[in-house]
Amino acid sequence: MTLWYEPREILIGGTWRRTAEVLGVEDPSTGEIWSEIAAGGAAEIDEAVAAAEAALQGDWGRMPAFERGRVLMAISRKILEHTEELAFIEARDVGKPLKQARADAIAMARYFEFYAGACDKFHGETIPFLDGYTVYTLREPHGVTGHIIPWNYPMQILGRSVGAALAMGNAAVLKPAEEASLTALAFGRIAMAAGLPAGALNIVTGLGEAAGAALSGHRGIHHISFTGSVPVGQLIQAAAARNVIPVTLELGGKSPQLVFEDADLEKALPFLVNAGIQNAGQTCSASSRILVHRARYDEVVEKMAARYAQLRVGAALADLDVGPVISGKQCNMINGMLDLGKDLTLAGQGVIADDAPKGGHYVRPTLLARVNPDHRLAQEEIFGPVQVVIPFSDEDEAVKIANGTDFGLVAGVWSENGGRQMRMAKRLRAGQVFLNNYGAAGGVELPFGGIGKSGHGREKGFEALYGFSVLKTVAAHHG
Ligand code: TXE
């Protein structure tokens, strides 16, 4: 394994450079510091924004759409050439099992492939108007786009956000999460080697309060996309309001899966559990609430509990079912939430492997039954491998419980009744509804985003291109 990147460097205007200060990076599997990143701040963000603006005025801004597509496609291919290295780095940095990290690298390549093909196929239109006029619209980039991404899926979120922004011809400034910046930096090397012009992508690592705040409040950016916590999302939206720029927020959720009495349980079961424990539950679209019709309630709890008993937790490179959570802070937060559930029915738990390193941040996957829908564990995002199972009696009650949180990101429905599927799809408050599946295999084509405190704006798919471009109307009077 060659670690072919230098994590203490940031990328500005096509040049890699160091900062005066560095930050230690912890391996969540061991609790040891295994790397360092540059601690960028306001000065580096200023330079990155200026470099992005210069790229828009230069080679990148003048590049024809089809050539942008070729560059994005070259990036996609290079990511695939480095899948194993990227997966290794991500597994150590985030703590996710190697197979999940590998899937994330492949998904990042797929985003660039998808958006490569879209570059020269997304355009304006002509509008019939008065005699003597020709009216048409132009789809243009916003200009400089800011991207603040979290640590749970660094590669996937980079792919969906930066991929779509570059496809529309924006120049991006990316601020990865301080906990897990290394694959973003490795991606920077890949993008430059694939021929992305200098300044089209700039990467500044550093703390959220420093580099992140400087980027979101910068007067030189024209759009900001953010994935992370609700409180920081509120700060980002306030900063965007001051500069009157558009903002895309993806802030997590409390996503339910509804299991009706006619559900095909054998098909549903793997999805019910996996959607709660994947990436140790640190997934914005994690299904942390399982709502089950009373007629099948005991059966579902029993079968889910049996799966939980088989779950093995260990170091990322041991590649078990579940890895550690990202940090001691996150671990304490999850355990604090679990303390609130001491009076609830503990239905099932996974097992921490004997050889899991002692300093790692391990949490036993936990299934809690007979939870009141108003309980804090059924209302607040836990962001750990914890699921609650709630009973319901009919469709109306199921919808009331499902829609009864501040969030609205994803919902899943398990039923063999076609009419019910359609009714649920309409009544559930969520940005994505999955019928007899959950997550639709992570498809990059599927628009994604939330309602309520889950945020607003849509990423992924063709829909993201609307968000990362602006429409100009041209009306020519020619007699
Ligand atoms: O998020 P933060 P944290 C939720 C989840 C988790 C909680 C806390 O519930 O337990 O948030 O996680 C940058 N100005 N999600 O503390 O702080 C930061 O550097 C500008 C859900 O990690 O929101 C990082 O790059 N930027 C979620 C990014 O924001 C700032 C994914 C996310 O960090 C900033 C992650 C500031 N003042 C957490 N402060 C999801 N939707 O999937 C921090 N940042």
Side-chain angles (χ1 to χ4, degrees), residues 148-153 157 160 175-179 206-216 226-233 235-236 250-253 282-285 326 329-330 333 381-383 409 454:
I148 299 179
I149 64 171
W151 41 264
N152 55 344
Y153 287 87
I157 297 172
R160 78 185 187 204
K175 208 300 279 178
E178 49 271 45
E179 295 88 349
L207 294 172
E209 308 86 84
L215 177 58
S216 57
F226 171 79
T227 302
S229 64
V230 174
V232 177
L235 294 177
I236 304 283
E250 199 270 271
L251 308 177
Q282 305 166 116
T283 303
C284 42
S285 54
I326 188 76
K329 182 178 133 208
Q330 193 71 17
M333 203 268 292
E381 185 171 57
I382 302 173
F383 231 54
L409 193 56
S454 291

Side-chain angles (χ1 to χ4, degrees), residues 127-135 476-478:
I127 300 172
F129 194 55
L130 299 173
D131 185 39
Y133 281 85
T134 299
V135 180
H477 183 231
H478 39 67

Side-chain angles (χ1 to χ4, degrees), residues 160 226-227 248-252 255 284-285 407-411 429-434 446-461 463:
R160 78 185 187 204
F226 171 79
T227 302
T248 304
L249 299 178
E250 199 270 271
L251 308 177
S255 299
C284 42
S285 54
F407 298 102
L409 193 56
V410 175
R429 251 175 72 79
Q432 286 191 318
V433 176
F434 296 109
L446 315 186
F448 180 68
I451 294 174
K453 285 209 174 138
S454 291
H456 51 74
R458 292 293 176 265
E459 291 189 316
K460 301 182 61 171
E463 186 67 23

Side-chain angles (χ1 to χ4, degrees), residues 83-107:
T83 299
E84 288 308 312
E85 278 164 293
L86 289 166
F88 173 83
I89 297 166
E90 195 80 314
R92 292 227 35 203
D93 213 15
V94 178
K96 62 176 68 186
L98 210 44
K99 52 184 168 292
Q100 290 177 29
R102 194 175 291 122
D104 286 0
I106 292 167

Side-chain angles (χ1 to χ4, degrees), residues 117-359:
C119 288
D120 56 359
K121 297 171 193 67
F122 192 67
H123 44 65
E125 54 190 6
T126 55
I127 300 172
F129 194 55
L130 299 173
D131 185 39
Y133 281 85
T134 299
V135 180
Y136 60 96
T137 58
L138 297 171
R139 275 269 159 209
E140 298 187 335
H142 290 291
V144 180
T145 50
H147 305 257
I148 299 179
I149 64 171
W151 41 264
N152 55 344
Y153 287 87
M155 288 196 278
Q156 292 219 32
I157 297 172
L158 184 161
R160 78 185 187 204
S161 155
V162 173
L166 294 179
M168 288 292 90
N170 298 284
V173 178
L174 169 65
K175 208 300 279 178
E178 49 271 45
E179 295 88 349
S181 293
L182 301 189
T183 48
L185 294 168
F187 171 80
R189 303 271 169 187
I190 286 173
M192 298 310 291
L196 187 69
L201 169 67
N202 306 276
I203 305 174
V204 180
T205 54
L207 294 172
E209 308 86 84
L215 177 58
S216 57
H218 203 286
R219 293 178 63 175
I221 62 167
H222 307 105
H223 179 280
I224 181 111
S225 62
F226 171 79
T227 302
S229 64
V230 174
V232 177
Q234 288 166 327
L235 294 177
I236 304 283
Q237 179 146 354
R242 278 194 291 281
N243 288 329
V244 197
I245 58 166
V247 53
T248 304
L249 299 178
E250 199 270 271
L251 308 177
K254 195 73 191 168
S255 299
Q257 290 188 74
L258 282 57
V259 184
F260 284 92
E261 64 275 26
D262 60 344
D264 177 344
L265 215 48
E266 287 319 301
K267 199 170 150 201
L269 263 170
F271 289 90
L272 295 180
V273 175
N274 288 349
I277 54 99
Q278 187 182 328
N279 204 28
Q282 305 166 116
T283 303
C284 42
S285 54
S287 180
S288 47
R289 294 185 297 153
I290 306 296
L291 279 46
V292 187
H293 191 276
R294 288 183 192 281
R296 306 289 293 276
Y297 187 85
D298 291 338
E299 182 190 358
V300 170
V301 170
E302 198 178 299
K303 289 190 165 153
M304 285 184 75
R307 280 191 174 255
Y308 263 73
Q310 290 165 2
L311 294 174
R312 293 287 170 275
V313 185
L317 296 181
D319 211 7
L320 306 179
D321 306 301
V322 179
V325 297
I326 188 76
S327 60
K329 182 178 133 208
Q330 193 71 17
C331 198
N332 292 339
M333 203 268 292
I334 297 164
N335 286 329
M337 290 296 280
L338 283 173
D339 283 344
L340 298 174
K342 281 205 168 115
D343 298 336
L344 302 173
T345 309
L346 177 62
Q349 271 194 314
V351 175
I352 298 175
D354 291 339
D355 59 356
K358 291 295 164 249

